[in-house]
Amino acid sequence: MKLPTLAQSSSSGSALRRIASALGLLAVSFAPLALAGTPPTPDKGDTAWMMTSTLLVILMTIPGLALFYGGMVRSKNVLSVLMQVFIIFCLATVLWVIYGYSVAFTAGNEFFGSFDKLFLKGVDSTTLAATFSKGVYIPEYVYVVFQGTFAAITPCLIVGAFAERMKFGAILVFILLWFTFAYLPVAHMVWYWDGPDAYTDATTAATALSHGGYLFQLGALDFAGGTVVHINAGIAGLIGALMVGKRLGYGTAAMPPHNLPLVMIGASLLWVGWFGFNVGSNLESNGFAGQVFLNTVLATAVATLVWTLIEWAVRGTPTMLGAASGAVAGLVAITPACGWVGPMGALAIGAAAGVVCLWAVTWLKHKLKYDDSLDVFGVHCIGGILGAILTGVFADPALGGAGFYDWVTMEVAPYDMTAQVIIQAKAVGVTLLWSGLVSLVAFKLIDLTIGLRASEETEREGLDTAEHGERAYG
Amino acid sequence: MKLPTLAQSSSSGSALRRIASALGLLAVSFAPLALAGTPPTPDKGDTAWMMTSTLLVILMTIPGLALFYGGMVRSKNVLSVLMQVFIIFCLATVLWVIYGYSVAFTAGNEFFGSFDKLFLKGVDSTTLAATFSKGVYIPEYVYVVFQGTFAAITPCLIVGAFAERMKFGAILVFILLWFTFAYLPVAHMVWYWDGPDAYTDATTAATALSHGGYLFQLGALDFAGGTVVHINAGIAGLIGALMVGKRLGYGTAAMPPHNLPLVMIGASLLWVGWFGFNVGSNLESNGFAGQVFLNTVLATAVATLVWTLIEWAVRGTPTMLGAASGAVAGLVAITPACGWVGPMGALAIGAAAGVVCLWAVTWLKHKLKYDDSLDVFGVHCIGGILGAILTGVFADPALGGAGFYDWVTMEVAPYDMTAQVIIQAKAVGVTLLWSGLVSLVAFKLIDLTIGLRASEETEREGLDTAEHGERAYG
Amino acid sequence: MKLPTLAQSSSSGSALRRIASALGLLAVSFAPLALAGTPPTPDKGDTAWMMTSTLLVILMTIPGLALFYGGMVRSKNVLSVLMQVFIIFCLATVLWVIYGYSVAFTAGNEFFGSFDKLFLKGVDSTTLAATFSKGVYIPEYVYVVFQGTFAAITPCLIVGAFAERMKFGAILVFILLWFTFAYLPVAHMVWYWDGPDAYTDATTAATALSHGGYLFQLGALDFAGGTVVHINAGIAGLIGALMVGKRLGYGTAAMPPHNLPLVMIGASLLWVGWFGFNVGSNLESNGFAGQVFLNTVLATAVATLVWTLIEWAVRGTPTMLGAASGAVAGLVAITPACGWVGPMGALAIGAAAGVVCLWAVTWLKHKLKYDDSLDVFGVHCIGGILGAILTGVFADPALGGAGFYDWVTMEVAPYDMTAQVIIQAKAVGVTLLWSGLVSLVAFKLIDLTIGLRASEETEREGLDTAEHGERAYG
Amino acid sequence: MKLITAIIKPFKLDEVRQAVTDLGIQGVTVTEVQGFGRQRGHKELYRGAEYRVDFVPKTKVELAVDDSVWEQVVEAIANVARTGKVGDGKIFVLGLPQVLRVRTGETGPDAI
Amino acid sequence: MKLITAIIKPFKLDEVRQAVTDLGIQGVTVTEVQGFGRQRGHKELYRGAEYRVDFVPKTKVELAVDDSVWEQVVEAIANVARTGKVGDGKIFVLGLPQVLRVRTGETGPDAI
Amino acid sequence: MKLITAIIKPFKLDEVRQAVTDLGIQGVTVTEVQGFGRQRGHKELYRGAEYRVDFVPKTKVELAVDDSVWEQVVEAIANVARTGKVGDGKIFVLGLPQVLRVRTGETGPDAI
Ligand SMILES: Nc1ncnc2c1ncn2[C@@H]1O[C@H](COP(=O)(O)OP(=O)(O)O)[C@@H](O)[C@H]1O
Ligand SMILES: Nc1ncnc2c1ncn2[C@@H]1O[C@H](COP(=O)(O)OP(=O)(O)O)[C@@H](O)[C@H]1O
Ligand SMILES: Nc1ncnc2c1ncn2[C@@H]1O[C@H](COP(=O)(O)OP(=O)(O)O)[C@@H](O)[C@H]1O
């Protein structure tokens, strides 16, 4: 770690030339940090917001995501899904503290950090993590646990793709492998950097940049996790669905969601919790956070309306499942973009997500004939790719976006939309490849050893009683 | 807009002579704002609390209100209700950004604002909105989205009155009209003002006052939305219930709630989210916010106890639906009052709400023979009226209330309870009339064109499968 | 009250020689408070976090705890449980404002406070409550309502022990007695102190100490309520379960939870809300709060994994109810410890809770043959005792704990683990005895007067229709 | 004795119960069932997958009645359950050689 | 063969199943039903609207048994299902000309 | 006429319905039931308390058919419902003296 000692930890971010998250506050935060002086005191408002954001991401996962998924499966499998989400959340949280944080968020090479903070060595209630404003820090413990919730929800997203048929044990082993070899490196590649205070002039900036993760150095923009979370998880889900095979009766028997009110509660809690996810990624409670908040609510609302209206127009019935799916699609697509685009960009991205993800879960899935039980690929991967690409478009200041911020000159730099879209596409490609490959190998290994798929009897009876010894509804 | 340029947006409030929301902080905030100097920096604690409040209001709506309503209908209609709430929330959010905020919260005449901020023109992450303390501002984006959630939940409240029988399309068209011609003007009338910094001496105060909305100028008190939200929505609901007619079998067939645990979850989330609604309306995170918080929890608790005890005494069974209804009644009644009364006033208002709303949904509804499916009129309109009137009573400093604050002398002014109660009654009357008329015309127009009521088969089969092509429980 | 006039209210805490909650901020807060000068202005970030924490504890109770409990009973009794939690929450909230706060949190003797603040006399939006940092205060109203939620959730915990068979009226009378004679004194004994500013030198420290509650003076550590909340409620539940007798058919008929997804939602909301409970108990939004947050999530995750793995290994099926139970066990056990131990201590405590509470609800309950319907004793009392004792162990700075802070020398004092464990055991014993005795007498009195147990017909039919005149699912 | 089984539209249950009570029948047993018949079901749509649901919710009413009244009872049920629209349902009549009332041990017509 | 249909109080199901198993019966089929009879229902209250619920939850147990044992079975069920309070239920016995076991195709008494 | 009652495995319902429709049967009535028989249930675990659940979800299909086709129908059902594994279920056939179609008042074979 080459960070100044007073800021004992580095911080994650999105890109080198990132926009200062609160332009209005720059005059305030510009004061050059006396590196050898007293450590900066975190603002209690920032800390309050980051703790709130953290618990919101937990709310997204358990119960949010769990219910969203659980309501969509048949009643004989609902507990298996709730259980998978609950246990993976716990597992990833513990792994995060043991080695995850260290591997993702310490300096190392472009793909992996180091083991310097194994078991959070050196982290205590006085160490700090950088934000996106110079001289503004938050308590490192808060940063550890905030990032920990990202590391915990991401693997949970995957399980929807092969719900209702994979063995519980196989899932846990897969998550262990995927968390370690896909989540941690991708998070490091995209989000690891030295923090804004490391950029004082051209020389320090070049040094600082060279410490960043691979995709960070490339200049890829991902505010809150389009690549790290959604593409990463979505492609893993697809691979899993393909490798475990279709559910018995898929295509012939009807498999309607067993409890759509649960799905609706889940989608709503996902939406509410997503403010922690997206706005928390701003790391500060300022005017820019307000913009991220607004973008998040807008894109989601539009995506919901668009999805529903298309269903209504084409199929004659606007469905609750469609509305919930549209909302999640909008949330996914705005995730990488929420801190880079203006409200009108958010509207556009939301509308695009409504169209494209609906297309993916109907036409594309039907065409390619995979059984992605809960459309993890169609919503998270496709939505994430769409968001990542459109971030490159709508981040353009000409389209109301925030553009790039030069931390040395402290000004917004000229923006080249085509170049940026290409960078975004590269980041998408790298993530797809990396996570796809890790998933392929991991699933293959498990299949060859303990086996992936539950027995036919287990699947017919339902995973709840067969694997977990319980019935959901007594 | 005649606001000083540094505060690029004006802000909503409750009344001219409003009590400073944190008397203890006045010494701090009193410093006259140098109008031509640097813009004030929003406090990050205020921003954090306002973002939390905003997401709490979203939590109130989806899933809170949706579940509260959805659990009360028959299982064949639960999705239709969830869907209405979800889609109206999205629709209103988008309209808010397009023209709602501009029409409600820019200077115009006494009833409507202007089109100056269509598509949030001129709003960015550095513009600010005033609070109720001089020199204290919050980011305008945060204010936009906070107020946006009020504009989104209010139309959602209405649909409970004609649940289980109105066409989905008709509802959406109605909401579009009502949002535009009832919500926006009433919000402008009650909450639009120039902010406290505009009041420096008698002359500027008079000018500032003349910019306020109609009911604001009248001196009506409505801290968090008794008139704007509850009376406004409640009367619209009643008109809708009357115009669409009773449900098939109403009065003869039993129509018990299909899922009371859902109702309980909904009521609980309404309560939790209401802290964002009420305390967020304080716009600052200070000691006065604590008072609003306490009032909100107290009035609700008392109303719940009173409703339940009466049921127990009179009918022999204290019911969960009664407890949930009492809680919502208490929340409605304390809404206009929460920033004006002391804790003992809150206790009194809560107790009154428990009695009066119970009376309204049993005796009054029975007497007048309307079929207000989920008692939107009995709880929201009657509770809102009660709260609005009692605000006039318990705001009296003699009864522990906050009284009026004179922004020029910076002191609490003498209070005339009778006069204030009359003003409150006028505000109630204006809201009833305005919203009632808009609703009447809107419903009539829809009835004559696309029709209001679902077909008999649709109603018998249930709206879920007939209109939305889904079953709630698979 | 002998507190300096500027801090018009005293505050609760955990122990005299408590660690400063933000060591990093001490330099800042150390400035001796000019006692006769202007009152300190609460930090808005602290206030925002404390309001968030308060509503989180409400979220924990209604709907969290209510659903957790409600899902576990048979469907004919679910409303009775939801109702008990909802009404007790309301009742305790009102009692808290009337006399609870005064009796618990004003100076009196070692066991009870005074009646000085009946009906919150003297409390207004400008009075302040101390935190654990010198010179740092929060608005007293916020403190009142935060502590009020603790007083409200604790009695709610009890009802799980005798669910499905006790009369509603009997429960309410019991809660009235227990709240008054067990909760309030135990809270006073453990948490009442003069606040850190009272400790300036050896003499003032001695005086200040003599004002503290009995267990506070003893030096017992209980950060967020291991004794006050969990042991206190858990033993009351056991006494109730023993005195009302077993459910009809207990031991022969299967009584599986009627709705495990509800249990899962409840457990998740308990977890999310518990951050308010534990981190809110820090009273400040700082780096130390981050540590409490991390401890809370870690212990819970580990306890969940451990409980589930043991079930898997021993019984062959890892269950969702087991995972949820493990989570609650971990939360209970970390509650007294969360502000005293490091992350590795939290891991250890969580693991221990998973083992010990599983043992308590299977082996111990089976052995002792009591019918504690929802394992209030096994999870809350046993988990609370375990946490209280282990707090004494892992608070040791040698094990990464925070140790004791000397408010006079402003340094961490030497730590004697054995001595502390004995003190902790004493505090456990006192709480068990006090609450046990109060419960015994209260249940006996009720049994002799209005009767504890519902009639056989009522129990067979279910309390929902028989006592509350409602069916959960229509 | 006869065992009458009527499959009816759910919203007709109360009227049917009333009608047979009026004929002096003291008990019926009711089951929620799914009917497949001439009445069309509906389509359902889940993320683009469209299912035809052929089954329609119906209510099954079973009554044990004395030989002397069964025709009256059948007629009464048919009359109130009739809406004239497809899906009104069927009534099946089976011979019922023996009935026993659990509480008293009575058998035959007395047990009904 | 006979088809025995017993309507009983739900909490008696386990005892009834045990009793018939003790008589060598190897299978039963159970349905949740709502009963209307002499046993009073309860009232329900929803925001001031009071409904009388006449239906009481009951459990229907169906068993196909051989002619040789049906009386014994009926008696055994009646004995364990009896509480002596109103609402204990009824037992209906129908003649059952033909039974087939799906798995094996066996018919008649062997199929039971 | 005959009243055929088939207890089958739930996932076989669609095939059974199709099979009887192919034979020209125009209606069936379906009930969710719990079966107890040779097929083992499963165990459930709730906080250390282990329960044996003996009942297995089954689907009951009832069809009134004409005397001329009942054997064909029974055979068709048995054929498609058979998996060969324990628990495939039973088919009961009862004589059905009278049927009435509520909508039209038709009786006898015309009413089916
Ligand atoms: N042959 C049959 N056997 C058993 N039940 C039948 C039969 N035919 C119809 N039903 C039941 O009667 C209901 C109504 O039948 P349907 O053909 O839809 O209308 P209708 O009786 O008016 O001709 C069906 O939903 C089904 O439950
Ligand atoms: N004539 C009948 N036909 C069908 N079911 C009946 C009949 N009479 C009673 N039952 C069923 O038996 C149950 C018990 O009957 P009820 O009259 O309440 O008590 P009891 O059998 O003790 O006289 C009823 O709830 C109903 O399900
Ligand atoms: N004697 C019986 N009376 C009524 N239903 C029966 C009887 N025997 C079996 N059944 C029903 O048939 C189902 C299958 O029976 P089972 O003995 O498990 O398998 P199989 O029919 O393959 O021998 C049971 O679950 C039960 O519902």
Side-chain angles (χ1 to χ4, degrees), chain C residues 6 57 79 110 253 318 326 329 361 391:
Chain C
L6 82 160
V57 184
L79 294 180
E110 290 178 314
V361 306
T391 300

PDB file of all heavy atoms in Angstrom, chain C residues 6 57 79 110 253 318 326 329 361 391:
ATOM      1  N   LEU C   6     -26.516  22.827  31.763  1.00  0.00           N
ATOM      2  CA  LEU C   6     -26.542  22.921  30.304  1.00  0.00           C
ATOM      3  C   LEU C   6     -26.948  21.606  29.658  1.00  0.00           C
ATOM      4  O   LEU C   6     -27.566  21.586  28.616  1.00  0.00           O
ATOM      5  CB  LEU C   6     -25.185  23.364  29.764  1.00  0.00           C
ATOM      6  CG  LEU C   6     -24.174  22.240  29.635  1.00  0.00           C
ATOM      7  CD1 LEU C   6     -23.101  22.637  28.681  1.00  0.00           C
ATOM      8  CD2 LEU C   6     -23.673  21.855  30.994  1.00  0.00           C
ATOM      9  N   VAL C  57     -35.404   0.018  15.097  1.00  0.00           N
ATOM     10  CA  VAL C  57     -35.874  -0.829  16.205  1.00  0.00           C
ATOM     11  C   VAL C  57     -37.391  -1.036  16.087  1.00  0.00           C
ATOM     12  O   VAL C  57     -37.910  -2.108  16.395  1.00  0.00           O
ATOM     13  CB  VAL C  57     -35.482  -0.247  17.573  1.00  0.00           C
ATOM     14  CG1 VAL C  57     -35.905  -1.195  18.691  1.00  0.00           C
ATOM     15  CG2 VAL C  57     -33.994  -0.010  17.642  1.00  0.00           C
ATOM     16  N   LEU C  79     -52.739 -14.531  13.950  1.00  0.00           N
ATOM     17  CA  LEU C  79     -53.166 -13.160  14.245  1.00  0.00           C
ATOM     18  C   LEU C  79     -53.021 -12.842  15.726  1.00  0.00           C
ATOM     19  O   LEU C  79     -52.713 -11.707  16.099  1.00  0.00           O
ATOM     20  CB  LEU C  79     -54.619 -12.952  13.816  1.00  0.00           C
ATOM     21  CG  LEU C  79     -54.862 -13.026  12.317  1.00  0.00           C
ATOM     22  CD1 LEU C  79     -56.338 -12.817  12.013  1.00  0.00           C
ATOM     23  CD2 LEU C  79     -54.039 -11.984  11.588  1.00  0.00           C
ATOM     24  N   GLU C 110     -30.535   3.264  43.446  1.00  0.00           N
ATOM     25  CA  GLU C 110     -29.820   2.352  42.550  1.00  0.00           C
ATOM     26  C   GLU C 110     -30.746   1.494  41.690  1.00  0.00           C
ATOM     27  O   GLU C 110     -30.298   0.854  40.757  1.00  0.00           O
ATOM     28  CB  GLU C 110     -28.915   1.433  43.368  1.00  0.00           C
ATOM     29  CG  GLU C 110     -27.735   2.164  43.993  1.00  0.00           C
ATOM     30  CD  GLU C 110     -26.895   1.211  44.827  1.00  0.00           C
ATOM     31  OE1 GLU C 110     -27.492   0.443  45.611  1.00  0.00           O
ATOM     32  OE2 GLU C 110     -25.670   1.215  44.678  1.00  0.00           O
ATOM     33  N   ALA C 253     -48.949 -34.242  18.913  1.00  0.00           N
ATOM     34  CA  ALA C 253     -49.312 -33.709  17.606  1.00  0.00           C
ATOM     35  C   ALA C 253     -48.163 -32.871  17.046  1.00  0.00           C
ATOM     36  O   ALA C 253     -47.426 -32.226  17.793  1.00  0.00           O
ATOM     37  CB  ALA C 253     -50.565 -32.860  17.723  1.00  0.00           C
ATOM     38  N   PRO C 318     -30.077 -29.180   6.454  1.00  0.00           N
ATOM     39  CA  PRO C 318     -29.895 -27.807   6.929  1.00  0.00           C
ATOM     40  C   PRO C 318     -31.212 -27.063   6.708  1.00  0.00           C
ATOM     41  O   PRO C 318     -31.681 -26.962   5.571  1.00  0.00           O
ATOM     42  CB  PRO C 318     -28.802 -27.258   6.018  1.00  0.00           C
ATOM     43  CG  PRO C 318     -28.895 -28.065   4.774  1.00  0.00           C
ATOM     44  CD  PRO C 318     -29.496 -29.394   5.120  1.00  0.00           C
ATOM     45  N   GLY C 326     -30.486 -19.457  14.073  1.00  0.00           N
ATOM     46  CA  GLY C 326     -29.076 -19.173  14.288  1.00  0.00           C
ATOM     47  C   GLY C 326     -28.791 -17.688  14.186  1.00  0.00           C
ATOM     48  O   GLY C 326     -28.030 -17.129  14.983  1.00  0.00           O
ATOM     49  N   ALA C 329     -30.007 -16.059  17.300  1.00  0.00           N
ATOM     50  CA  ALA C 329     -29.114 -16.415  18.401  1.00  0.00           C
ATOM     51  C   ALA C 329     -27.830 -15.572  18.345  1.00  0.00           C
ATOM     52  O   ALA C 329     -27.366 -15.054  19.370  1.00  0.00           O
ATOM     53  CB  ALA C 329     -28.775 -17.904  18.344  1.00  0.00           C
ATOM     54  N   VAL C 361     -32.313 -25.256  22.556  1.00  0.00           N
ATOM     55  CA  VAL C 361     -33.670 -25.464  22.048  1.00  0.00           C
ATOM     56  C   VAL C 361     -33.916 -26.925  21.670  1.00  0.00           C
ATOM     57  O   VAL C 361     -35.050 -27.309  21.411  1.00  0.00           O
ATOM     58  CB  VAL C 361     -34.003 -24.555  20.842  1.00  0.00           C
ATOM     59  CG1 VAL C 361     -33.735 -23.101  21.179  1.00  0.00           C
ATOM     60  CG2 VAL C 361     -33.259 -24.981  19.606  1.00  0.00           C
ATOM     61  N   THR C 391     -18.829 -11.347  26.838  1.00  0.00           N
ATOM     62  CA  THR C 391     -18.430  -9.941  26.792  1.00  0.00           C
ATOM     63  C   THR C 391     -17.286  -9.706  27.760  1.00  0.00           C
ATOM     64  O   THR C 391     -16.308  -9.024  27.438  1.00  0.00           O
ATOM     65  CB  THR C 391     -19.620  -9.038  27.173  1.00  0.00           C
ATOM     66  OG1 THR C 391     -20.676  -9.255  26.238  1.00  0.00           O
ATOM     67  CG2 THR C 391     -19.232  -7.567  27.158  1.00  0.00           C
TER      68      THR C 391
END
